[in-house]
């Protein structure tokens, strides 16, 4: 039995679907099982569970041989970093009680860095906690998800300007479709753990893009003229605040992009394995534009 936490998210759904396609038994864990109708249709067992509820996690792991762990940043919390660290601590305590499990933990590019990387620092914390708790551990570090551009896509289509925190707009950066992350995670779960030590795998898409390329692809997908706009640094926090983020969450994102623009965040050189997805940005944007137009 393969257990998927975060099964209602893009990555979790893709992992579950890939495992079911390969004929594996899958248990999808969600706070609200009613959101898992699609997973039920493909043969997943769906159970209620919460990463902040140890008892529900233990129940979800009953009879499992492997588990995919995703600890998301909770944007609704006043202090998202503290809340995510608490979730990680809870998950680590649970995993320590199930040492036989192969754990595939979703992490980020740059998680090896121990300072000044914003949200990525939380994945540094996750990796350290899980290394201590799970003796059969695989870390899957993913580049920035292509689907993250959905947050600014409506404004870009309305104004013809795509605001970017990537500076300069002609600098290439790694990115990957959430679907490809899920597919690679399913492969790693099927593979089983490394014989010795922690397995580290990094995944990104088939090519790298600059913000100006992202704008061009969005224009092609929408049939509109779109240009990239490097959002001035002093407008980052006010813009994020207007988007509904509290000050603590905004600071995590600002620190993250400062680190990215300083070229500190990338695949860790010489460490682990590298995988490359097959999904192009145009394919992702075609779906995002279609969803936007359907509103």
């Amino acid at each position: 039995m393969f257990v998927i936490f975060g099964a209602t998210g893009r990555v979790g759904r893709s992992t579950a679907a890939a495992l079911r396609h390969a004929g594996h038994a899958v248990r999808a864990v969600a706070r609200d099982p009613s959101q898992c109708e699609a997973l039920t249709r493909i043969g997943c067992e769906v159970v209620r569970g919460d990463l902040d509820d140890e008892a529900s996690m233990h129940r979800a792991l009953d009879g499992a041989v492997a588990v995919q762990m995703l600890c998301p940043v909770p944007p609704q919390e006043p202090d998202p970093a503290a809340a995510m660290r608490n979730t990680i601590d809870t998950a680590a305590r649970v995993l320590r009680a199930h040492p036989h499990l192969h754990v595939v933990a979703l992490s980020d590019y740059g998680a090896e860095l121990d300072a000044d990387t914003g949200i990525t620092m939380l994945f540094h914390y996750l990796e350290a906690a899980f290394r201590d708790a799970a003796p059969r551990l695989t870390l899957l570090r993913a580049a920035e998800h292509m689907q993250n551009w959905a947050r600014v896509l409506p404004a870009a289509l309305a104004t013809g300007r795509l605001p970017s925190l990537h500076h300069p707009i002609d600098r290439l950066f790694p990115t990957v479709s959430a679907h490809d992350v899920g597919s690679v995670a399913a492969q790693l779960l099927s593979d089983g753990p490394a014989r010795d030590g922690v397995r580290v795998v990094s995944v990104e898409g088939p090519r790298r893009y600059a913000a100006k390329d992202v704008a061009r692809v969005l224009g092609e997908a929408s049939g509109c003229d779109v240009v990239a706009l490097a959002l001035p640094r002093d407008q980052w926090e006010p813009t994020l605040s207007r988007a509904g983020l509290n000050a603590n969450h905004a600071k995590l994102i600002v620190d993250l992009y400062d680190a990215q623009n300083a070229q500190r965040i990338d695949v860790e050189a010489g460490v682990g394995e590298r995988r490359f997805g097959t999904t192009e940005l145009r394919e992702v944007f075609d779906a995002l534009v279609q969803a936007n137009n359907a509103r």
Side-chain angles (χ1 to χ4, degrees):
M1 175 67 72
F2 293 92
V3 174
I4 310 298
F5 282 93
T8 57
R10 292 188 181 99
V11 174
R13 289 197 304 268
S14 295
T15 304
L19 289 170
R20 286 295 302 137
H21 182 73
H24 296 295
V26 175
R27 180 178 295 146
V29 186
R31 288 183 178 180
D32 183 1
S34 67
Q35 297 180 3
C36 296
E37 182 181 348
L39 293 173
T40 301
R41 285 200 303 268
I42 64 172
C44 294
E45 175 191 354
V46 176
V47 300
R48 188 184 306 277
D50 190 325
L51 287 174
D52 294 315
D53 179 352
E54 293 188 39
S56 71
M57 292 184 69
H58 285 298
R59 288 193 297 269
L61 293 173
D62 183 40
V65 297
V67 56
Q68 176 173 298
M69 296 297 304
L70 168 63
C71 295
V73 180
Q76 73 281 1
E77 295 289 341
D79 188 343
M84 182 171 166
R85 285 192 293 267
N86 287 337
T87 298
I88 292 167
D89 290 341
T90 300
R93 284 194 301 272
V94 171
L95 293 176
R96 194 171 287 110
H98 300 267
H100 69 286
L101 288 176
H102 174 210
V103 179
V104 173
L106 303 182
S107 186
D108 268 11
Y109 272 26
E112 74 280 2
L113 303 175
D114 61 2
D116 302 324
T117 60
I119 287 174
T120 299
M121 270 296 298
L122 298 172
F123 290 96
H124 179 82
Y125 185 90
L126 178 147
E127 290 195 4
F130 283 14
R131 283 175 186 269
D132 183 60
R136 298 157 62 84
L137 177 64
T138 297
L139 297 171
L140 178 55
R141 294 175 178 169
E144 176 181 321
H145 289 190
M146 295 174 180
Q147 286 81 0
N148 288 354
W149 290 98
R151 301 165 184 166
V152 296
L153 184 143
L157 295 180
T159 65
R161 297 186 299 174
L162 179 74
S164 174
L165 305 188
H166 286 285
H167 292 187
I169 60 171
D170 60 355
R171 180 178 60 81
L172 298 175
F173 59 89
T175 185
V176 66
S177 169
H179 173 77
D180 287 343
V181 178
S183 296
V184 172
Q187 293 168 10
L188 297 176
L189 285 163
S190 299
D191 287 350
R195 292 183 179 180
D196 299 303
V198 176
R199 186 180 185 185
V200 179
V201 180
S202 299
V203 59
E204 62 182 82
R207 70 190 75 252
R208 294 189 169 197
Y209 294 87
K212 67 176 185 179
D213 301 321
V214 175
R216 173 182 53 78
V217 174
L218 178 56
E220 293 169 355
S222 64
C224 303
D225 292 329
V226 181
V227 296
L229 169 68
L231 195 65
R233 175 64 173 73
D234 62 1
Q235 294 183 24
W236 289 6
E237 290 196 42
T239 300
L240 293 169
S241 177
R242 288 194 296 272
L245 277 64
N246 65 40
N248 287 325
H249 194 182
K251 181 66 162 54
L252 290 173
I253 293 178
V254 167
D255 288 350
L256 168 64
Y257 278 93
D258 278 341
Q260 286 188 338
N261 293 338
Q263 301 185 53
R264 294 180 58 220
I265 293 180
D266 208 319
V267 63
E268 185 177 9
V271 174
E273 312 161 38
R274 296 191 68 183
R275 302 286 182 92
F276 296 90
T278 59
T279 306
E280 298 282 0
L281 186 62
R282 174 62 188 270
E283 182 179 344
V284 171
F285 276 9
D286 282 343
L288 293 179
V289 169
Q290 183 178 5
N292 181 77
N293 292 341
R295 292 176 182 173

